[in-house]
Amino acid sequence: MDHRSAVLPAEYGWILLAIFSVLWVILGWLWGRKAKNMDGFMVAGRNVGLALGMATAMATWVTSNTTMVAPEFALRFGVIGMIAYSSAALGLVFFAPMATRIRQLMPQGYTAGDFIRLRYGKIAWVLFLIISLFYCLTWLISMTMAGGLFLNAIAGIPYQHGMTIILTVCVIYTIFGGLYAVIGTDYIQSLIILIGVVVLGFIVFHRVDFDATYNELAEFQPALLMLIAPAAVMVFFNNLLFGFGEIFHNNVWWSRAFAMRKGVPGKAFLFGGLFWLPIPVAVGFIALSAGSLDINIPDPNQAGPIIAAELLGVGGAIVVFIVIFCSIASSIDSLLAATSDLITEDVYRKGFRSKATDSQLRRASVSIILLLGLFAWFIALPNVGTLATTLFYAGPLVGSAIWPVVAGLYWRQTNPRAVIAAMVLGSLIGLLAYEFWAWYVASVVGAAISMVITVVGTWLFPRDFNWSDLAEPDLAIKEK
Amino acid sequence: MILVGWFVLAVFGKADEPLPDAGIIHMGHLVTEDQIEEQENPYYVLSWTLSDGFESADAPGFWSQWWAAITDWSLSPNEDTFDHDWQFQVQRDTDPAFADARNVYLGADTTSYISGMDEQTHYFRVRTVSPDLERYSDWSPSLALVVSYPSQTRAFALFGVGAIVTIATIAMILIGSARTRREAELDEKKDQNRDGEARNS
């Protein structure tokens, strides 16, 4: 390996891992006791307030990618890459009005799949499930791998051990309390992430000489300061649209919209996005300062931990450990809960057991969370280094889902067949762009094709829709 | 034992294939002169390593013979294959004779991520240095990286497409939200009027 020592002594890593593992399980159990029925388990009783709503939006969106890939974007694509990464905040900001609309149209809804099925019919629903499950599973597996790789890089904890512990802890507390436990732990995790980033940013701000950083970049890495570098220019909207696609279609966000009480979703997602916005800029800037600080970066993924450890010693590495551990846990638990909801509601209940009672659905949901955890563990175990690339394959797929979702929410006459064609052709042509062009154009291509087909198809062949059909009478789950 | 460097292309299963010591980088891969292509991603991972036979830290003349430029590698920072105190010194220059060389790195790492270089040929070389910085090996053969950017036409075309899709999506959301909010308010007013009329009658 290349960086010849872990930045934190292994015993510190194990102690921190033990403390936070026990903490999350206890907190998850405490919050999870509120989940008395399936509404509690899947959508936290539809009564989540502004503080918790905002915290869960921010914490879930601060993935290991935010803290580990954002510095890589800054080092690869420079200042414009850093701004491009932070533009993913707009996904949350513009999901805010959508969440209000979702809550208004589907007061008893559970999943994004429910919306697509009722709005466009079964073929579109199956297509949407394929896209969404592919994305959720690759994201879950890549987060699991990121957990193992991160613990290995920062504290020398063997990859398989670290990955297994993080995943097990998240599975346990998600099973205990479903979305209640996830949102509760997200609240604490978001506070820790914010405080950690502010502390790190403050210390780095005082230690880094801005003039020296600029001069170093201007002399030895001038392309990083260019605002019109070709790759960076292409990355900008691709990343933004990838973020739109990820958030607009994914049940992770829809389940939170359903979980928040009336009047809350709009503000919660708006403020969650605004709080998220500076994080990639802060970690990106830290990465750009490496040259002026004379710090070697063997792997851009590890720029944050390496620079923090070099600048702040063991204390800095501990802060980074806690921040990134929280960001990974908050994403894995959200994915486990939201993906299990999607499978329980859209596959199990709608496909096989339409009369399933509350307790049957709860058992199914717990089993699905366990199976998802096992599946992610099994795939992540061999540490195949190409999974991040696989996640990028989801770019054109989720990009192609943007317009079907947005047009479905706001246009009464959106044509379901056009939407099906938009998702199929947007995904296929986007994947071809990925394969023959570059990964950083695939989401733009997928979203553009999908938009054109949705708009033209609806304009030529409008189909009227009755909004009240979204408030499906049998959507509510019967309690035993 | 003499240090032998490798092109660390293990992730591609080509760890034992020595590549030429000068060439063009395309998307982070070293290619030979007759395979010149424009590269778009100005980022590379330079790697160097020691031969399996390296055991003694005392013998002078160690040098890392070959280089690698890879874009992907597995994170596993504790798989140190050597436990000596010697360090590596990496230099970079735009002059093949390294007349005005700049030290890029001095330390024990065997990889360095480089990015953001301007459009010209950059040369790199590496050598081992003793902990007291008094003894050092010969320099390795230099690695030439020819950085050249493609035309910006395609980049801006895609930028334009992305901008149109993004603006259209945002406009759709904002206009749609404003309209549906107005409709909801009107519905609410109608309900209130209906209730009021019902009470009056």
Side-chain angles (χ1 to χ4, degrees):
Chain A
M1 175 61 210
D2 310 278
H3 197 64
R4 293 199 52 208
S5 59
V7 291
L8 196 66
E11 56 271 26
Y12 285 40
W14 280 110
I15 290 168
L16 288 168
L17 188 59
I19 290 171
F20 281 93
S21 297
V22 172
L23 181 68
W24 299 143
V25 170
I26 291 174
L27 288 176
W29 173 71
L30 285 173
W31 267 298
R33 287 188 306 175
K34 290 181 179 177
K36 305 277 188 218
N37 54 24
M38 209 51 196
D39 250 26
F41 195 78
M42 286 175 76
V43 286
R46 302 184 194 277
N47 197 30
V48 173
L50 182 59
L52 282 173
M54 197 170 67
T56 192
M58 196 209 84
T60 304
W61 204 217
V62 181
T63 66
S64 64
N65 284 348
T66 316
T67 44
M68 293 162 83
V69 180
E72 184 171 350
F73 259 59
L75 284 173
R76 279 188 178 182
F77 303 113
V79 174
I80 195 80
M82 190 169 77
I83 295 168
Y85 202 95
S86 69
S87 72
L90 295 180
L92 282 182
V93 169
F94 288 105
F95 189 68
M98 290 170 66
T100 304
R101 177 75 172 153
I102 289 165
R103 198 75 175 78
Q104 176 200 352
L105 288 174
M106 302 179 72
Q108 297 300 317
Y110 287 96
T111 67
D114 279 338
F115 170 75
I116 296 291
R117 179 176 53 80
L118 294 169
R119 185 71 181 82
Y120 297 129
K122 284 197 171 173
I123 297 174
W125 175 54
V126 170
L127 261 174
F128 180 83
L129 282 183
I130 291 169
I131 289 173
S132 197
L133 287 175
F134 175 77
Y135 168 75
C136 286
L137 290 174
T138 50
W139 190 15
L140 177 63
I141 294 163
S142 68
M143 286 294 117
T144 306
M145 288 178 66
L149 291 169
F150 167 71
L151 291 175
N152 183 242
I154 196 165
I157 293 171
Y159 167 81
Q160 280 82 1
H161 296 177
M163 178 271 287
T164 305
I165 291 169
I166 288 190
L167 189 60
T168 306
V169 166
C170 292
V171 165
I172 290 172
Y173 72 75
T174 309
I175 282 176
F176 277 159
L179 198 60
Y180 263 126
V182 169
I183 289 179
T185 49
D186 276 359
Y187 182 67
I188 305 293
Q189 286 157 352
S190 68
L191 287 177
I192 293 173
I193 291 167
L194 266 184
I195 293 169
V197 170
V198 168
V199 167
L200 276 178
F202 185 78
I203 295 171
V204 170
F205 182 79
H206 283 274
R207 295 274 185 90
V208 172
D209 183 336
F210 282 78
D211 288 343
T213 300
Y214 176 81
N215 291 335
E216 169 83 14
L217 290 173
E219 188 172 0
F220 298 108
Q221 296 175 290
L224 297 185
L225 295 174
M226 281 172 64
L227 294 181
I228 51 166
V233 162
M234 287 190 274
V235 155
F236 190 87
F237 281 111
N238 192 74
N239 200 64
L240 198 153
L241 288 169
F242 191 7
F244 274 18
E246 283 180 286
I247 292 177
F248 292 0
H249 97 280
N250 196 337
N251 199 49
V252 165
W253 309 101
W254 282 68
S255 64
R256 278 157 177 72
F258 292 128
M260 291 173 201
R261 78 171 75 106
K262 199 179 171 190
V264 168
K267 292 174 198 153
F269 284 106
L270 175 66
F271 288 119
L274 294 178
F275 275 111
W276 185 90
L277 184 73
I279 294 174
V281 176
V283 292
F285 173 75
I286 290 172
L288 288 179
S289 66
S292 65
L293 295 167
D294 217 16
I295 296 171
N296 181 49
I297 303 296
D299 176 2
N301 268 334
Q302 299 304 317
I306 290 169
I307 295 171
E310 295 272 359
L311 280 178
L312 315 171
V314 171
I318 288 174
V319 175
V320 170
F321 183 104
I322 294 169
V323 167
I324 298 185
F325 184 77
C326 288
S327 67
I328 292 172
S330 66
S331 301
I332 291 179
D333 62 12
S334 300
L335 275 163
L336 285 169
T339 312
S340 98
D341 287 356
L342 197 65
I343 297 173
T344 305
E345 169 71 8
D346 287 88
V347 180
Y348 176 75
R349 185 174 172 222
K350 291 289 185 278
F352 304 103
R353 298 288 296 270
S354 58
K355 307 276 183 208
T357 62
D358 192 285
S359 58
Q360 286 170 330
L361 288 171
R362 175 78 177 251
R363 276 199 300 277
S365 199
V366 167
S367 308
I368 289 164
I369 291 170
L370 266 176
L371 286 172
L372 282 171
L374 271 173
F375 177 74
W377 179 82
F378 183 74
I379 301 291
L381 192 65
N383 188 14
V384 180
T386 55
L387 225 100
T389 318
T390 310
L391 183 62
F392 281 123
Y393 266 111
L397 306 188
V398 300
S400 75
I402 295 172
W403 268 77
V405 170
V406 175
L409 281 172
Y410 295 113
W411 280 351
R412 192 187 291 275
Q413 296 185 317
T414 308
N415 185 307
R417 288 187 181 172
V419 161
I420 292 167
M423 285 196 282
V424 171
L425 291 175
S427 297
L428 288 178
I429 298 172
L431 284 171
L432 288 175
Y434 181 109
E435 204 55 43
F436 295 105
W437 222 337
W439 64 264
Y440 47 76
V441 301
S443 297
V444 167
V445 172
I449 298 287
S450 170
M451 182 183 86
V452 169
I453 294 172
T454 305
V455 171
V456 173
T458 298
W459 181 55
L460 292 176
F461 309 102
R463 286 282 188 85
D464 212 12
F465 180 75
N466 186 0
W467 293 121
S468 61
D469 289 352
L470 289 170
E472 191 185 50
D474 68 343
L475 217 49
I477 292 168
K478 296 174 186 71
E479 290 201 35
K480 197 170 90 175
Chain B
M1 202 60 178
I2 294 178
L3 274 178
V4 179
W6 300 86
F7 285 106
V8 187
L9 295 174
V11 286
F12 305 111
K14 294 177 183 173
D16 54 352
E17 289 180 21
L19 291 173
D21 59 0
I24 307 293
I25 288 289
H26 172 63
M27 303 288 281
H29 296 266
L30 195 67
V31 298
T32 53
E33 293 282 359
D34 59 347
Q35 291 176 289
I36 295 173
E37 296 175 64
E38 284 187 325
Q39 58 87 17
E40 297 172 1
N41 295 330
Y43 50 85
Y44 322 101
V45 177
L46 294 176
S47 295
W48 54 94
T49 187
L50 308 171
S51 72
D52 290 339
F54 172 71
E55 286 166 2
S56 167
D58 300 323
F62 299 154
W63 54 284
S64 195
Q65 191 175 15
W66 288 309
W67 292 72
I70 60 175
T71 54
D72 193 15
W73 55 289
S74 171
L75 291 173
S76 44
N78 298 305
E79 295 173 5
D80 293 338
T81 52
F82 51 99
D83 55 357
H84 57 90
D85 293 328
W86 283 59
Q87 305 177 87
F88 296 99
Q89 182 182 17
V90 182
Q91 285 192 337
R92 164 184 161 186
D93 201 348
T94 49
D95 176 3
F98 290 88
D100 189 23
R102 183 212 173 205
N103 282 321
V104 173
Y105 174 63
L106 177 66
D109 293 352
T110 55
T111 296
S112 187
Y113 185 83
I114 55 168
S115 62
M117 288 179 291
D118 54 349
E119 279 189 299
Q120 57 180 315
T121 304
H122 299 266
Y123 298 89
F124 292 84
R125 63 182 182 179
V126 64
R127 69 179 177 181
T128 49
V129 180
S130 66
D132 56 9
L133 306 181
E134 288 186 357
R135 289 177 297 155
Y136 40 83
S137 69
D138 298 331
W139 286 108
S140 68
S142 64
L143 173 74
L145 303 183
V146 182
V147 178
S148 63
Y149 294 93
S151 149
Q152 292 182 332
T153 311
R154 191 180 71 185
F156 279 101
L158 277 163
F159 184 84
V161 172
I164 290 167
V165 176
T166 303
I167 291 166
T169 307
I170 291 172
M172 173 84 162
I173 293 168
L174 295 180
I175 294 168
S177 295
R179 200 188 64 229
T180 52
R181 198 167 46 240
R182 272 199 310 273
E183 285 171 2
E185 283 167 2
L186 279 175
D187 288 345
E188 208 170 312
K189 271 185 189 166
K190 275 182 195 166
D191 288 345
Q192 283 171 354
N193 289 342
R194 215 175 292 134
D195 289 348
E197 282 169 13
R199 271 197 299 273
N200 290 338
S201 63

